[in-house]
Amino acid sequence: MTLKVSTLLSACAVAALSTAATAETITIATVNNGDMIRMQGYTDDFTAKTGHEVEWVTLEENVLRQRVTTDISTKGGAFDIMTIGMYETPIWGANGWLVPLDGLSDEYDVADILPAMSGGLSHDGTLFAAPFYGESSMIMYRADLMEKAGMEMPDAPTWEFIREAAAAMTDRDAEINGICLRGKAGWGEGGAFITAMSNSFGARWFDEDWKPQFDTQPWKDTLEFYVGMMTESGPPGYATNGFNENLSLFQQGKCGMWIDATVAASFVTNPDDSTVADKVDFALAPDTGLGKRSNWLWAWALGIPAGTQKVDAAKQFIEWATSKDYIELVAAKEGWANVPPGARTSLYENPEYQKVPFAQKTLDSILSADPNNPTVDPVPYVGIQFAAIPEFAGIATEVSQEFSAVYAGQQSVDEALEKAQALATDAMEAAGY
């Protein structure tokens, strides 16, 4: 008996030493969105299963983009996993900057990832980042305020209806803004919103010869409509509001409508965080009758920078964080409404998730987004709220700054568009287009 116990203890000790010897500490850069912060709270589950520890670097969206782009392009090696999206992933994969996510386990079920997401996170058929969540954009609105205004939201409204409804719902004395929209500079912040909106007005970033198009009427129409509507019905200081700022305003009951990422639906309907949780309804993003809605397509995804010495541990984390099991874990702890959405087909086939009030509208928005045909007139690029070329991030960051200056009252629409046309033209010529 003593010998058996001794042998067992020795075996356990060897196993423990083996685990300790192979355990790693991985560093992950991520965005300060609610789903990512929630994931950090469950990291102990990953550590218990693998022995690996995790250190988090959590950053505001614009800062995250700058940090990870600088780190990966200079081979800085600061991160073992990066939170990236559909813009960066195919470009960085083509450059050899990311580790291919092949060899994932059968249990992980790569085929279950929604094709819209896996396609946008691949290059030449190879997956280079796994979606933690996927999103389009849609309208979140106060049904009580819409009713009070004597109006009824269509399932698929026009921008003219949205502007009219926003004005009707605005109550400055009660600090209720009819509409809250992104105006914050940054290609992925206010830049993403205005680009998606411009598609529905017939605008393009570039024509088929890669000539910038900011000197065309559709761009002027887009900006003038946006500024007019936000001046009438938007919050003060909207030029500096991004996703998180508008989320806070909506949860405080200060927005009649908010058009933004579908992933926000779980936050505006969560009674622990939102004062209007039981008053929210949803509709598709608006159009102008030209055949394109103003909804985007995006995934916040986890990728592994080439050069990390901890590829195996990083892959284990990605499998854990983007798996069906993780979704089940969050559902068991916080309810199905709070699981990361938009990434897996099986989630939308789950009868429990189908009961979530925004589930179908989210899926409809994702499936209606077409990054291969994003605009009314043909374009040479792929992407809805971005153009999938390496030069875009730099150009669009500058353009978004010019637009935000308009929103802040620092220059006119015409001045901003003239500057945008000039800087985009210079950048594209310098890049050899």
Side-chain angles (χ1 to χ4, degrees):
M1 184 68 175
T2 304
L3 179 60
K4 289 182 179 179
V5 172
S6 175
T7 302
L8 179 60
L9 290 173
S10 296
C12 290
V14 170
L17 286 171
S18 176
T19 300
T22 57
E24 302 276 10
T25 298
I26 55 175
T27 302
I28 304 176
T30 197
V31 66
N32 64 341
N33 288 353
D35 280 294
M36 300 306 190
I37 293 170
R38 179 180 286 128
M39 174 172 56
Q40 295 176 38
Y42 291 113
T43 305
D44 287 348
D45 181 79
F46 169 73
T47 299
K49 290 176 177 174
T50 65
H52 302 309
E53 301 284 345
V54 178
E55 292 184 353
W56 293 93
V57 179
T58 306
L59 303 166
E60 187 270 331
E61 185 170 326
N62 286 337
V63 179
L64 173 75
R65 296 185 196 280
Q66 294 167 359
R67 287 279 300 276
V68 299
T69 300
T70 299
D71 189 73
I72 202 165
S73 61
T74 61
K75 299 180 173 63
F79 308 113
D80 303 301
I81 295 174
M82 294 175 169
T83 303
I84 54 179
M86 289 183 167
Y87 168 66
E88 302 95 342
T89 301
I91 295 171
W92 293 359
N95 287 347
W97 292 356
L98 295 169
V99 175
L101 293 185
D102 45 21
L104 298 175
S105 68
D106 291 341
E107 294 78 11
Y108 180 76
D109 193 5
V110 173
D112 185 49
I113 298 173
L114 281 168
M117 299 302 153
S118 58
L121 297 169
S122 299
H123 173 70
D124 282 350
T126 297
L127 189 70
F128 280 96
F132 180 68
Y133 68 74
E135 66 180 36
S136 183
S137 51
M138 65 181 177
I139 305 167
M140 293 157 278
Y141 70 95
R142 290 273 300 279
D144 59 327
L145 296 181
M146 187 70 72
E147 182 179 2
K148 182 180 177 181
M151 304 180 73
E152 184 176 348
M153 176 71 81
D155 283 339
T158 64
W159 274 111
E160 285 294 343
F161 175 87
I162 294 301
R163 185 169 184 172
E164 181 184 353
M169 287 193 283
T170 297
D171 184 343
R172 297 299 190 194
D173 292 337
E175 295 186 11
I176 296 174
N177 309 287
I179 191 162
C180 295
L181 300 174
R182 300 188 193 190
K184 189 175 189 176
W187 74 259
E189 276 279 10
F193 180 86
I194 201 68
T195 296
M197 180 178 178
S198 76
N199 294 337
S200 69
F201 278 77
R204 300 178 289 178
W205 265 78
F206 309 105
D207 67 11
E208 291 179 280
D209 296 320
W210 292 104
K211 180 183 177 183
Q213 296 293 290
F214 295 106
D215 57 356
T216 61
Q217 191 64 39
W219 264 111
K220 184 172 182 176
D221 292 343
T222 303
L223 280 189
E224 288 184 341
F225 186 94
Y226 173 90
V227 172
M229 180 173 60
M230 294 301 286
T231 301
E232 293 164 0
S233 308
Y238 71 89
T240 58
N241 287 351
F243 175 87
N244 284 329
E245 291 82 5
N246 285 323
L247 171 60
S248 178
L249 286 170
F250 196 97
Q251 288 176 325
Q252 294 172 47
K254 296 183 178 181
C255 301
M257 292 179 287
W258 178 30
I259 305 171
D260 213 299
T262 52
V263 71
S266 68
F267 303 122
V268 298
T269 57
N270 186 338
D272 292 337
D273 302 315
S274 176
T275 63
V276 295
D278 61 344
K279 300 177 175 65
V280 185
D281 209 341
F282 307 94
L284 294 177
D287 69 1
T288 64
L290 297 178
K292 295 294 178 182
R293 307 207 77 81
S294 50
N295 58 309
W296 62 64
L297 185 69
W298 185 253
W300 276 120
L302 303 177
I304 305 171
T308 177
Q309 303 303 306
K310 302 173 183 178
V311 171
D312 290 343
K315 278 191 176 182
Q316 287 181 55
F317 183 87
I318 289 175
E319 281 211 30
W320 171 81
T322 64
S323 67
K324 298 176 188 177
D325 286 345
Y326 178 83
I327 291 174
E328 294 276 356
L329 173 64
V330 176
K333 299 285 188 180
E334 303 187 39
W336 282 102
N338 295 309
V339 304
R344 287 187 169 269
T345 300
S346 57
L347 179 63
Y348 292 91
E349 296 171 345
N350 186 312
E352 292 302 313
Y353 194 68
Q354 289 173 357
K355 297 175 186 176
V356 173
F358 50 81
Q360 189 60 48
K361 197 67 71 177
T362 294
L363 183 60
D364 291 345
S365 298
I366 289 172
L367 295 179
S368 70
D370 185 359
N372 294 312
N373 298 283
T375 52
V376 174
D377 294 325
V379 289
Y381 54 86
V382 172
I384 297 176
Q385 74 277 31
F386 59 84
I389 57 173
E391 296 77 16
F392 178 80
I395 298 170
T397 296
E398 291 187 60
V399 169
S400 74
Q401 289 167 350
E402 298 298 339
F403 290 176
S404 288
V406 176
Y407 311 155
Q410 296 168 356
Q411 63 181 349
S412 69
V413 167
D414 287 341
E415 288 170 333
L417 289 173
E418 183 179 352
K419 292 177 182 177
Q421 180 71 15
L423 67 89
T425 299
D426 289 348
M428 294 298 281
E429 289 178 354
Y433 284 83

